[in-house]
Amino acid sequence: MAATTDSRIAVYAALAGNLLVACTKIAAAVWTGSSAMMSEAIHSVVDTANELLLLYGFHRAGRPPDRGHPLGHGRELYFWSFIVALLLFALGAGVSLYEGVAHLMHPAPIEDPTVNAIVLGLSFVFEAGSWWVAVRRFRAAAPGLSLIEAFRRSKDPPAFMVVFEDTAALIGIVIAAAATAAAVACDEPVWDGVGSILIGLLLAVTSMVLARESKSLLIGEPADPELADAVLELVRSSEGVLAANGLLTVQLSPQQVVVALSIEFADDLRADDIERAVVTIETALRARYPLIAALFVKPQTGARYRETRARRLRGSAPA
């Protein structure tokens, strides 16, 4: 449960930071009339709502199994993560682009750029603190991997979503600061609108990347390859097992995996012997890997397994 706990801490830190930033930016946007600042305020409001949705996803995913959901509700976290990515695109990117285009069509000067500068500086400090917490937690969950590789292999959307959102927020603040400075220095209010459009494009790209990864997890990704290899190694060393032919894994949530094993047992084993062997294997696997939420074992010869697998991969038989 350490990964889930770390993700919650990162989300709470991001929520606190985004709430402070949102209030500060909204006040500054109303005071100065800056389009780029308004886009940044919208960005922070959307981020704050996103953290609340992620926390709601944690709550929903933590419910125990029931008749309607025998494998639990863990995948709800992936669903709400996908919703967060869509909201980032629809609200964050969409409204920022609209605000930018509207300001290009009807440019208005920034009334008090000093306020913008102070607010953006404070916002950068708040966001940087949240970003630092998120990155440290994310790196701790995947030591030895680069950020890109850790993102690709992560099964924990809240963890990488907070990192991406905070990174986009820091870049957005830099864009807003540059747009404000250009609008004041050149006495051209259109640069303020350009800043809003760039922030909107930044949010659109970020949301598409997050939506793609969240959708993949929602549909059903396999578990980490290291887990699959370790499970097969343990099964092959179990008593009464001739061969562990292979397995299928599906990630239900960051801390829940379903495993289906194909095992060839010794020919002299009776049905009750095989049952005891399966119980022994399941007990050993659950003790070593508590994230295995469900285990299914299919006694099968190696030849039959290879034939079934080839037929399934060709698409001539249902999966």
Side-chain angles (χ1 to χ4, degrees):
M1 296 300 293
T4 300
T5 303
D6 285 350
S7 297
R8 284 179 185 268
I9 292 173
V11 172
Y12 277 119
L15 176 61
N18 285 326
L19 191 57
L20 288 172
V21 171
C23 294
T24 307
K25 288 179 180 176
I26 290 173
V30 172
W31 180 269
T32 64
S34 169
S35 174
M37 181 60 74
M38 180 58 73
S39 294
E40 274 298 293
I42 294 167
H43 179 185
S44 295
V45 169
V46 172
D47 281 353
T48 302
N50 287 346
E51 314 314 336
L52 291 173
L53 285 178
L54 290 177
L55 290 174
Y56 181 69
F58 276 119
H59 167 70
R60 298 284 296 178
R63 293 177 298 161
D66 53 38
R67 286 188 177 183
H69 302 86
L71 295 178
H73 301 76
R75 197 164 282 182
E76 277 221 40
L77 184 59
Y78 294 156
F79 168 77
W80 288 108
S81 298
F82 185 66
I83 295 298
V84 163
L86 294 182
L87 284 178
L88 189 63
F89 179 82
L91 294 181
V95 176
S96 293
L97 289 171
Y98 172 81
E99 182 72 19
V101 172
H103 203 77
L104 286 180
M105 295 176 64
H106 306 285
I110 299 174
E111 295 182 6
D112 195 343
T114 304
V115 173
N116 265 13
I118 294 173
V119 168
L120 289 174
L122 291 174
S123 299
F124 193 90
V125 172
F126 295 148
E127 291 285 4
S130 171
W131 178 86
W132 179 245
V133 172
V135 170
R136 286 188 62 187
R137 299 285 178 179
F138 189 61
R139 292 303 299 268
L145 297 179
S146 67
L147 280 175
I148 299 299
E149 185 63 24
F151 165 68
R152 289 175 177 171
R153 296 179 59 172
S154 176
K155 310 298 181 183
D156 191 359
F160 61 71
M161 278 190 159
V162 172
V163 173
F164 267 74
E165 285 183 356
D166 286 349
T167 302
L170 291 173
I171 296 173
I173 291 172
V174 173
I175 293 174
T180 301
V184 173
C186 302
D187 196 22
E188 286 289 348
V190 292
W191 283 110
D192 200 23
V194 171
S196 287
I197 292 174
L198 292 178
I199 291 170
L201 293 176
L202 171 68
L203 295 179
V205 172
T206 302
S207 65
M208 286 188 286
V209 172
L210 294 178
R212 181 178 180 274
E213 184 62 22
S214 298
K215 184 202 74 171
S216 180
L217 288 166
L218 183 60
I219 292 173
E221 281 189 1
D224 196 282
E226 280 81 357
L227 174 64
D229 294 341
V231 168
L232 288 175
E233 183 179 353
L234 186 150
V235 172
R236 287 174 181 138
S237 62
S238 301
E239 185 177 355
V241 173
L242 288 182
N245 302 315
L247 83 171
L248 291 174
T249 60
V250 177
Q251 196 83 30
L252 286 181
S253 77
Q255 297 298 317
Q256 289 181 312
V257 176
V258 173
V259 178
L261 278 164
S262 172
I263 302 176
E264 182 174 359
F265 291 96
D267 294 335
D268 58 343
L269 293 184
R270 299 172 53 183
D272 56 345
D273 297 326
I274 293 177
E275 183 180 356
R276 282 192 292 271
V278 170
V279 171
T280 301
I281 290 171
E282 182 173 10
T283 302
L285 284 175
R286 287 186 181 277
R288 187 173 297 184
Y289 308 107
L291 76 167
I292 296 179
L295 175 68
F296 302 96
V297 177
K298 184 175 185 178
Q300 196 175 36
T301 64
R304 180 62 177 168
Y305 168 76
R306 289 188 292 272
E307 177 187 341
T308 303
R309 184 173 182 272
R311 194 165 60 240
R312 186 182 72 248
L313 293 178
R314 287 198 303 267
S316 59

